[in-house]
């Protein structure tokens, strides 16, 4: 494969054909020629309609090769642009951000002073949208490295032949490896996947990101000394839900949570041992060549005495090399993963950082500042980020589950409250206000409780035990999903009281962990400001926020609030969801200001456009300025984790997008909101919700959905450890947003990404023609409108009317099929036509990059869709009367789901 400076599209085609040639060679050697002739992007004559049995797996591999090729081409294009035009040429990254801030009148000193106040926290979840096995993901990571390796011009012809051989080997492994989940994943497997990124990807990517940030800062003429200290950089930490998210997930038990916390701690400490061992090798400075400062010698002597024999061994290992001796002593002071820290061991990461600071200062004092910058400061930065816990573990549970748990507690305590779930809010608050005044728990150890009460209390006991043994650094938020009223939040304090999770403070008991509402539906988002206003006024809440402020040495009290993109979309459609989220953030931020509290928003984004995904930079720019406030916490779910972070180059790029994006959006002077465009968005949201609700509330809609999409196969799949429904009820409300979106995308309706917007735009055009004209002229000037309509346009382009109609043929009742399909097709045509008026041309003309990506996939996807429709029809016909045959047909359907998801680069 010859490499060179070539345009992105030409690179994609060249690299794709090279990889596909290697894949064809593999298929020939394993006697799969009958599959090879069906592969996309290869010349072949007329082929039968039915695919050979292994062909869907071959298509899945082929589409993954295309995805890797595109990822690499984009990375190489960024490098080329930066080489030719400088770092400011790359949109959304540090070079452009710093130049924009300079042009806005900010000095380098002002920017540098603001950087440490920027905070980003990606939260990795195991939402079941990653349909590729961890083994398969590892093979693709290896394949990507070979693709990058082939870019290098230094290889000889024989060495290039070796690269080709390595590629064939990896491809044969993929061909011989099953690529679907035959058994439902266990939480422990999901945790190991997340830990892979936290331990093996992010530490290195963060170090390289920081180096790049400083290089760009200096390259554009800023003072490098301003960013010399590791604490001068924007803060990035990580969270996870794996092992803590128990909302509708009965497999996440207290034992699973305890194991998750210990696994995270164990891996954090193992990472630290690796990093410290590495700098011990590097810091071979001799005291015969430079005189170590007194503070270093004093610290070494003190720790050697403190650690006894272990301390003496640390000294004996490297005589005459005090810097190494100091690192040896630091290593000896690291605590064991399990159990309270012993004498002389660190009790917190902050103590380790203090010793690394001494190490850093001692290097600087002898003039070895380059070594301090290279070896010690990146480690200080890493410890700030990963600590002794890698990521904080959030705990999430549904408010209805909490209601049942409290009812069982009341019953066990002999209090008349067994029907608590049906109580009015007034009744609930009377009980909660009385109980929160009392330190007395409801129950004693060993009392028999109901299932829900035992599940909640056993989880909280694990948290209390972990806090008392290791501190609170590894513990995240207590999230209440489906928060609908004040009592849903205050009940958490009762559970904390019951389990010893509350801490006694002079002013009264406090909860050391953030209690966080999750507002998910349109109605809940609209009620959220009132709920937060009442919540922030409550005494135990105020005490807890103040305790958390002092403990974390913060300048202000902070209340975290999570907002859900997925369920609000399923509830009201993409337009109403987007506008409700915008308004809720503005109103919640105002309530916080009025109470002297900053609201920290936690964005529950999914992996698809209809669930809050979209270009990172545009997403950040579209957030209300008052809601962002330099602090972004957001979920990274399912397949988006591997898409963004599996490969190091992409991981660095995506971390830079987050950190530079939040910095730029926070520090740039706020532009005034164009009232006319805001009014247009209000009208679009209102009308689009009407159209969307009219569709999903139609009596024939659910039967159509159940038959025209592979929802039944997705519910039967083994993707992820979590059930597809919260409680098992066969209702749209109980169905999780992921299978809802996944199934519509598989059938190429992409319904959740666009439905209703056409009706909204049509109403504005008809009722407010001047406003519609202004919208067309100024859409790109207002980030929220640009982000929403850009995402809708992408969804419309991904939808395929021909394929929609083909899947609709699976609906047995002709009237249901005709009525619902026609509604969808009418709205689809309306939405596309009006978007093209707004954009001033066809979507393919205005968005050529997306159009090219779709065109490359079109032929192969059409063949897979036709095969999936046939297989679905067969499976549905036999599954009830012959379960064994049905299971085999289901396996074939799942392979097709996998292949189509690879082609679409999305699940749910």
């Amino acid at each position: 494969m010859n490499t060179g400076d070539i345009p992105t599209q030409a690179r994609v085609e060249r690299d794709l054909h090279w990889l596909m040639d290697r894949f064809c060679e593999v298929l020939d050697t394993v006697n799969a020629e009958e599959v090879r002739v069906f592969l996309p992007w290869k010349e072949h004559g007329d082929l039968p309609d039915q695919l050979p049995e292994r062909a869907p797996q071959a298509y899945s591999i082929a589409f993954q090769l295309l995805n890797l090729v595109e990822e690499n081409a984009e990375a190489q294009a960024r490098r080329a642009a930066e080489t030719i035009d400088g770092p400011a040429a790359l949109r959304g990254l540090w070079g452009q951000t710093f130049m924009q801030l300079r042009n806005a009148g900010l000095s380098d000193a002002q920017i540098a002073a603001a950087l440490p106040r920027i905070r980003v926290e990606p939260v990795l979840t195991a939402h079941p949208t990653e349909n590729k096995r961890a083994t398969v993901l590892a093979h693709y990571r290896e394949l990507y490295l070979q693709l990058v390796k082939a870019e290098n011009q230094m290889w000889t012809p024989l060495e290039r032949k070796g690269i080709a051989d390595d590629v064939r080997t990896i491809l044969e492994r993929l061909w011989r490896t099953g690529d679907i989940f035959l058994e439902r994943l266990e939480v422990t497997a999901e945790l190991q996947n997340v830990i892979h990124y936290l331990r093996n990807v992010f530490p290195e990517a963060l170090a390289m990101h920081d180096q790049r940030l400083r290089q760009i800062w200096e390259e554009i003429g800023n003072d490098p000394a301003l960013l010399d200290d590791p604490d001068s950089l924007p803060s990035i930490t990580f969270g996870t839900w794996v092992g803590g998210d128990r909302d509708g997930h009965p497999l996440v038990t207290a034992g699973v949570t305890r194991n998750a916390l210990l696994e995270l701690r164990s891996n954090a400490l193992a990472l630290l041992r690796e990093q410290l061992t590495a700098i011990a090798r590097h810091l071979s400075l001799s005291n015969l060549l430079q005189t170590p400062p007194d503070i270093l010698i004093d610290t070494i002597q003190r720790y050697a005495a403190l650690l006894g024999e272990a301390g003496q061994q640390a000294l004996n290992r490297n005589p005459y090399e005090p810097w190494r001796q100091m690192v040896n002593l630091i290593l000896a002071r690291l605590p064991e993963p399990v159990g309270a820290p012993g004498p002389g061991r660190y009790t917190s990461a902050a103590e380790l950082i203090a010793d690394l600071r001494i190490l850093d200062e001692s290097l600087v004092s002898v003039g070895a500042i380059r070594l301090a910058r290279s070896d010690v400061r990146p480690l200080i930065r890493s410890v700030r980020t990963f600590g002794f816990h890698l990521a904080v573990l959030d705990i999430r549970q549904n408010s209805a589950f909490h209601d049942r748990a409290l009812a069982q507690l009341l019953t066990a305590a002999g209090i008349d409250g067994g029907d608590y779930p049906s109580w009015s809010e007034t009744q609930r608050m009377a009980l909660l206000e009385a109980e929160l005044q009392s330190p007395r728990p409801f129950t004693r150890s060993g009392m028999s409780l109901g299932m829900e009460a035992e599940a909640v209390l056993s989880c909280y006991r694990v948290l209390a035990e972990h806090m008392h043994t290791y501190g609170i650094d590894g513990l995240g938020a207590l999230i209440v999903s489906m928060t609908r009223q004040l009592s849903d939040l205050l009940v958490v304090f009762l559970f904390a009281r019951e389990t010893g999770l509350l801490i006694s403070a002079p002013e009264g008991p406090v909860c050391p962990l953030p209690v966080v509402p999750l507002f998910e539906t349109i109605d809940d988002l609209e009620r959220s400001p009132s709920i937060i206003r009442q919540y922030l006024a409550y005494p135990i809440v105020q005490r807890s926020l103040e305790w958390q402020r002092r403990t974390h040495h913060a300048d202000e009290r902070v209340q975290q609030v999570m907002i859900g993109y997925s369920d609000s979309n399923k509830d009201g459609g993409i337009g109403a969801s987007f506008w409700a989220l915008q308004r809720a953030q503005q109103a919640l931020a105002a309530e916080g200001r009025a109470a002297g509290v900053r609201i920290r928003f936690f964005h529950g984004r999914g992996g698809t456009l209809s669930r809050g995904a979209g270009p990172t930079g545009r997403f950040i720019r579209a957030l209300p300025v008052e809601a962002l406030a330099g602090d972004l916490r957001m979920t990274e779910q399912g397949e988006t984790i591997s898409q963004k972070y599996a490969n190091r180059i992409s991981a660095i790029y995506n971390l830079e997008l987050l950190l530079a994006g939040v910095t730029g959006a926070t520090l740039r002077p706020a532009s005034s909101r164009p009232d006319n465009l805001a009014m247009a968005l209000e009208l679009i949201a209102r009308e689009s919700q009407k159209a969307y609700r009219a569709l999903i509330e139609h009596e024939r809609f659910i039967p159509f959905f159940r038959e025209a999409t592979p929802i039944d196969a997705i519910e039967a799949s083994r993707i992820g450890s979590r059930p597809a429904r919260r409680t098992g009820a066969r209702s749209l409300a109980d169905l999780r947003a992921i299978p809802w979106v996944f199934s519509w995308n598989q059938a190429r309706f992409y319904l959740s990404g666009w439905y209703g917007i056409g009706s909204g735009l049509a109403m504005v055009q008809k009722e407010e023609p001047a406003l519609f004209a202004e919208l067309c002229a100024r859409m790109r000037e207002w980030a929220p409108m640009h982000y929403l309509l850009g995402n809708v346009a992408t969804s419309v382009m991904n939808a395929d009317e021909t394929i929609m109609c083909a899947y609709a043929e699976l609906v047995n009742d002709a009237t249901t099929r005709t009525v619902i399909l026609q509604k969808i097709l009418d709205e689809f045509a309306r939405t596309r036509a009006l978007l093209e008026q707004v954009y001033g041309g066809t979507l393919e003309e205005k968005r050529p990059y997306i159009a090219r990506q779709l065109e490359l996939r079109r032929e192969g996807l059409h063949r897979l869709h036709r095969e999936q429709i046939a297989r679905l029809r067969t499976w549905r016909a036999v599954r009830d009367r012959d379960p064994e045959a049905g299971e085999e047909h289901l396996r074939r359907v799942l392979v097709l789901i996998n292949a189509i998801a690879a082609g679409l680069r999305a699940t749910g």
Side-chain angles (χ1 to χ4, degrees):
M1 180 172 64
N2 294 320
T3 61
D5 185 18
I6 58 174
T8 301
Q9 191 58 29
R11 183 188 296 275
V12 167
E13 293 174 3
R14 179 207 64 188
D15 291 357
L16 178 62
H17 286 124
W18 186 79
L19 283 175
M20 288 299 294
D21 286 344
R22 305 292 79 76
F23 187 31
C24 287
E25 291 161 4
V26 168
L27 292 176
D28 286 342
T29 60
V30 298
N31 300 316
E33 296 91 340
E34 79 284 358
V35 171
R36 174 176 55 75
V37 299
F38 280 86
L39 287 177
W41 316 302
K42 291 292 179 183
E43 294 295 330
H44 42 61
D46 293 336
L47 295 170
D49 289 338
Q50 185 170 347
L51 293 174
E53 183 177 344
R54 295 287 304 275
Q57 185 188 357
Y59 272 87
S60 182
I61 293 172
F63 282 132
Q64 290 294 349
L65 297 183
L66 174 56
N67 297 338
L68 292 181
V69 161
E70 288 175 336
E71 182 179 351
N72 180 57
E74 290 165 7
Q76 299 306 328
R78 290 194 298 271
R79 282 178 160 167
E82 187 171 300
T83 300
I84 296 168
D85 301 316
L90 298 181
R91 182 173 177 80
L93 301 185
W94 282 119
Q96 185 190 69
T97 298
F98 288 146
M99 292 305 296
Q100 288 175 341
L101 295 176
R102 176 185 290 175
N103 293 337
L106 276 70
S107 67
D108 59 351
Q110 288 173 311
I111 299 169
L115 283 178
R117 299 199 299 270
I118 301 299
R119 182 182 183 191
V120 168
E121 187 173 23
V123 179
L124 310 185
T125 77
H127 282 55
T129 65
E130 176 54 81
N131 63 325
K132 294 180 288 298
R133 295 173 58 210
T135 296
V136 172
L137 288 170
H139 292 329
Y140 282 120
R141 281 195 292 269
E142 191 178 351
L143 193 58
Y144 183 84
L145 291 176
Q146 293 297 328
L147 190 59
V148 173
K149 185 177 179 180
E151 294 283 348
N152 201 313
Q153 298 292 300
M154 72 179 189
W155 308 116
T156 67
L158 284 177
E159 288 170 329
R160 290 195 175 281
K161 183 175 182 298
I163 294 172
D165 287 340
D166 290 342
V167 166
R168 280 188 284 265
T169 299
I170 299 167
L171 287 169
E172 183 169 343
R173 285 193 196 113
L174 284 165
W175 179 248
R176 294 181 181 277
T177 301
D179 62 350
I180 65 168
F181 295 103
L182 297 177
E183 302 292 337
R184 190 170 289 280
L185 270 181
E186 293 186 356
V187 179
T188 51
E190 293 173 328
L191 180 63
Q192 290 308 313
N193 183 51
V194 164
I195 286 175
H196 163 77
Y197 291 96
L198 291 168
R199 179 173 170 179
N200 301 322
V201 176
F202 290 128
E204 184 181 10
L206 179 61
M208 297 185 74
H209 162 272
D210 291 349
Q211 181 183 44
R212 175 176 163 78
L213 188 163
R214 288 191 172 103
Q215 288 171 339
I216 291 172
W217 177 265
E218 188 172 358
E219 175 72 17
I220 64 174
N222 290 336
D223 181 2
L226 293 171
L227 299 190
D228 223 8
D229 191 280
D231 291 344
S232 65
L233 302 180
S235 168
I236 182 166
T237 54
F238 293 89
T240 183
W241 280 12
V242 185
D245 181 13
R246 55 229 321 119
D247 180 8
H249 197 334
L251 299 180
V252 181
T253 62
V256 167
T257 297
R258 178 183 290 108
N259 176 70
L261 287 166
L262 292 178
E263 278 290 305
L264 289 164
R265 177 176 170 83
S266 175
N267 278 274
L269 291 168
L271 171 65
L272 277 170
R273 290 187 184 280
E274 292 169 6
Q275 294 171 323
L276 285 164
T277 301
I279 69 167
R281 287 196 300 268
H282 295 159
L283 295 181
S284 53
L285 291 77
S286 169
N287 61 6
L288 302 178
L289 300 177
Q290 50 255 307
T291 302
D294 291 343
I295 189 173
L296 181 64
I297 298 302
D298 292 345
T299 304
I300 289 172
Q301 291 174 348
R302 181 159 46 90
Y303 287 166
L306 181 67
L307 292 167
E309 184 179 347
Q312 193 57 48
Q313 290 174 352
L315 299 187
N316 295 343
R317 198 173 303 128
N318 300 103
Y320 310 110
E321 294 177 344
W323 284 271
R324 269 185 170 166
Q325 290 177 329
M326 179 66 176
V327 178
N328 292 341
L329 290 165
I330 290 173
L331 273 163
R333 293 197 67 199
L334 286 180
E336 294 299 322
V338 180
R345 301 297 183 102
Y346 295 118
T347 60
S348 71
E351 296 175 357
L352 168 58
I353 289 173
D355 282 351
L356 291 174
R357 284 288 188 186
I358 293 172
L359 193 65
D360 176 82
E361 291 163 10
S362 67
L363 287 169
V364 172
S365 72
V366 298
I369 190 168
R370 180 180 287 109
L371 303 186
R373 286 173 178 157
S374 172
D375 296 327
V376 181
R377 292 179 187 176
L379 181 52
I380 293 173
R381 168 75 156 167
S382 183
V383 179
R384 285 263 188 245
T385 296
F386 300 103
F388 290 174
H389 58 276
L390 282 186
V392 298
L393 181 67
D394 286 347
I395 303 298
R396 183 175 75 137
Q397 184 55 277
N398 194 283
S399 60
F401 194 96
H402 281 169
D403 286 351
R404 295 192 295 275
L406 182 55
Q408 292 162 7
L409 275 179
L410 294 172
T411 299
I415 300 172
D416 183 16
D419 58 347
Y420 176 84
S422 64
W423 284 12
S424 70
E425 181 67 355
T426 302
Q427 290 174 292
R428 291 173 179 227
M429 287 304 302
L431 171 79
L432 292 170
E433 287 175 359
E435 286 297 330
L436 287 173
Q437 299 296 319
S438 169
R440 168 192 53 81
F442 287 121
T443 59
R444 299 182 306 277
S445 177
M447 287 182 67
S448 177
L449 304 174
M451 182 189 73
E452 285 87 350
E454 185 56 44
V456 172
L457 297 191
S458 60
C459 169
Y460 279 44
R461 288 189 192 105
V462 166
L463 301 181
E465 173 190 312
H466 191 91
M467 177 181 71
H468 294 307
T469 306
Y470 308 111
I472 64 170
D473 287 353
L475 302 178
L478 304 173
I479 301 171
V480 183
S481 56
M482 291 296 173
T483 298
R484 290 180 167 162
Q485 51 205 354
L486 175 60
S487 59
D488 292 339
L489 299 175
L490 295 182
V491 72
V492 173
F493 292 90
L494 283 188
F495 297 142
R497 181 195 72 181
E498 199 72 13
T499 54
L501 190 55
L502 290 187
I503 290 176
S504 296
E507 303 83 7
V510 300
C511 184
L513 305 182
V515 177
V516 176
L518 169 48
F519 300 113
E520 300 182 75
T521 67
I522 302 291
D523 286 345
D524 294 343
L525 287 165
E526 290 176 349
R527 283 197 299 268
S528 63
S530 172
I531 295 171
I532 286 297
R533 184 187 319 122
Q534 299 170 65
Y535 179 69
L536 294 178
Y538 214 78
I540 195 171
V541 175
Q542 294 180 341
R543 292 196 303 270
S544 298
L545 294 181
E546 178 59 23
W547 186 93
Q548 292 163 18
R549 183 196 69 77
R550 291 198 304 264
T551 301
H552 297 294
H553 309 291
D555 297 330
E556 56 192 345
R557 294 183 298 164
V558 176
Q559 171 63 45
Q560 190 180 147
V561 173
M562 187 172 184
I563 50 176
Y565 290 69
S566 303
D567 281 287
S568 59
N569 178 291
K570 183 162 71 79
D571 182 41
I574 190 168
S577 168
F578 182 80
W579 186 234
L581 288 161
Q582 285 275 320
R583 289 187 305 172
Q585 288 175 78
Q586 293 166 344
L588 287 164
E591 293 292 348
R593 285 195 301 274
V597 174
R598 178 172 67 80
I599 301 297
R600 183 187 192 207
F601 287 98
F602 180 13
H603 300 270
R605 302 177 75 209
T608 54
L609 296 176
S610 59
R611 295 183 52 240
T616 299
R618 287 188 184 178
F619 167 75
I620 293 170
R621 288 191 296 275
L623 293 174
V625 174
E626 62 270 39
L628 181 58
D631 188 353
L632 178 67
R633 192 172 204 245
M634 65 176 217
T635 53
E636 295 280 27
Q637 296 183 8
E639 84 271 22
T640 62
I641 298 174
S642 60
Q643 287 173 1
K644 289 182 177 181
Y645 304 114
N647 303 310
R648 188 180 64 186
I649 294 171
S650 297
I652 297 165
Y653 170 66
N654 282 291
L655 290 179
E656 185 173 350
L657 279 176
L658 279 173
L659 288 161
V662 172
T663 300
T666 301
L667 300 186
R668 274 192 298 268
S671 55
S672 59
R673 186 175 81 168
D675 290 337
N676 283 355
L677 291 186
M679 183 171 72
L681 187 47
E682 168 84 38
L683 295 173
I684 291 168
R686 192 184 311 154
E687 192 66 22
S688 70
Q689 184 175 12
K690 288 181 188 176
Y692 177 82
R693 294 299 305 181
L695 175 70
I696 67 170
E697 290 172 359
H698 194 287
E699 62 182 1
R700 295 183 182 273
F701 175 76
I702 295 298
F704 180 91
F705 166 61
R706 297 291 311 174
E707 296 182 40
T709 76
I711 179 60
D712 45 355
I714 288 169
E715 288 180 321
S717 71
R718 285 79 172 181
I719 301 173
S721 65
R722 193 175 74 167
R725 294 179 180 273
R726 282 191 165 94
T727 68
R730 309 302 291 180
S731 66
L732 185 57
D734 195 62
L735 178 68
R736 293 189 187 272
I738 290 168
W740 164 258
V741 174
F742 194 175
S743 54
W744 285 117
N745 290 0
Q746 279 276 310
R748 299 299 290 280
F749 287 86
Y750 276 77
L751 191 88
S752 56
W754 58 266
Y755 197 94
I757 295 297
S759 292
L761 287 170
M763 189 274 285
V764 175
Q765 184 185 45
K766 179 181 178 182
E767 302 293 335
E768 302 284 349
L771 186 59
F772 184 79
E774 185 174 356
L775 168 61
C776 295
R778 300 182 59 200
M779 179 264 291
R780 290 179 176 82
E781 295 177 20
W782 190 38
M785 184 72 83
H786 188 201
Y787 180 69
L788 171 64
L789 294 187
N791 285 351
V792 171
T794 299
S795 295
V796 166
M797 292 177 74
N798 273 281
D800 188 311
E801 187 172 338
T802 301
I803 300 301
M804 289 186 213
C805 294
Y807 276 90
E809 289 299 315
L810 289 168
V811 180
N812 290 315
D813 184 80
T815 304
T816 297
R817 179 172 63 245
T818 302
V819 169
I820 301 300
L821 179 62
Q822 196 58 54
K823 281 182 172 292
I824 292 172
L825 294 179
D826 288 347
E827 183 68 13
F828 183 68
R830 186 181 301 116
T831 303
R832 175 180 272 276
L834 285 159
L835 282 174
E836 291 181 342
Q837 287 190 50
V838 172
Y839 273 91
T842 69
L843 297 181
E844 288 70 24
E845 292 168 349
K846 296 298 179 179
R847 315 186 97 207
Y849 179 69
I850 294 174
R852 282 197 304 270
Q853 286 184 314
L854 290 169
E855 187 56 40
L856 265 175
R857 292 161 169 79
R858 189 179 312 280
E859 181 185 344
L861 280 170
H862 274 227
R863 184 172 285 277
L864 289 173
H865 285 304
R866 290 195 297 270
E867 184 75 10
Q868 188 185 70
I869 290 166
R871 294 290 185 184
L872 276 170
R873 186 175 281 116
T874 302
W875 171 58
R876 289 170 178 174
V878 305
R879 61 187 173 186
D880 292 331
R881 68 170 186 267
D882 188 346
E884 187 174 333
E887 188 65 22
E888 175 57 27
H889 284 292
L890 172 62
R891 187 189 66 79
R892 294 178 181 180
V893 171
L894 295 179
V895 172
L896 283 158
I897 287 174
N898 209 45
I900 291 170
L904 298 174
R905 295 197 72 176
T907 53

